[in-house]
Amino acid sequence: VTPGGVGTLEEFFEMLTSKQPCRHNKPIVLYNVENYFKELNDMVVASVNKKFIRKGCLELYEVIDNLDELFAYLEAPQKERTVKDLKEG
């Protein structure tokens, strides 16, 4: 996910929402150009801390600001998850 507007954010959350119940195992990365996604990630972390979102959700995506690291993450094998893993996390 690269910086963008409301549609971009909607697509991120749609993909995150479908990854949560294991409908796909594709990598999700927020490309944090100039710290663009800091506040969004902070909001998700705050929601976890307030127990609105399960902690395991933080393992479903990465926030990366280095392009080489981003491509390495995209090319790496993804951890297989089950719905049970997320519920326990």
Side-chain angles (χ1 to χ4, degrees), residues 42-73:
D42 290 348
M43 180 193 72
V44 174
V45 170
S47 296
V48 168
N49 292 337
K50 293 177 182 184
K51 311 237 187 282
F52 288 105
I53 298 176
R54 293 181 189 270
K55 185 177 179 183
C57 185
L58 296 175
E59 296 177 10
L60 300 178
Y61 71 96
E62 291 289 326
V63 181
I64 298 175
D65 61 6
N66 176 286
L67 199 54
D68 291 331
E69 290 176 26
L70 183 142
F71 282 113
Y73 177 77

Side-chain angles (χ1 to χ4, degrees), residues 14-15 17-26 83:
E14 182 177 343
M15 292 306 298
T17 300
S18 64
K19 189 171 184 177
Q20 189 172 3
C22 301
R23 291 190 184 130
H24 73 84
N25 193 37
K26 297 178 179 101
V83 174

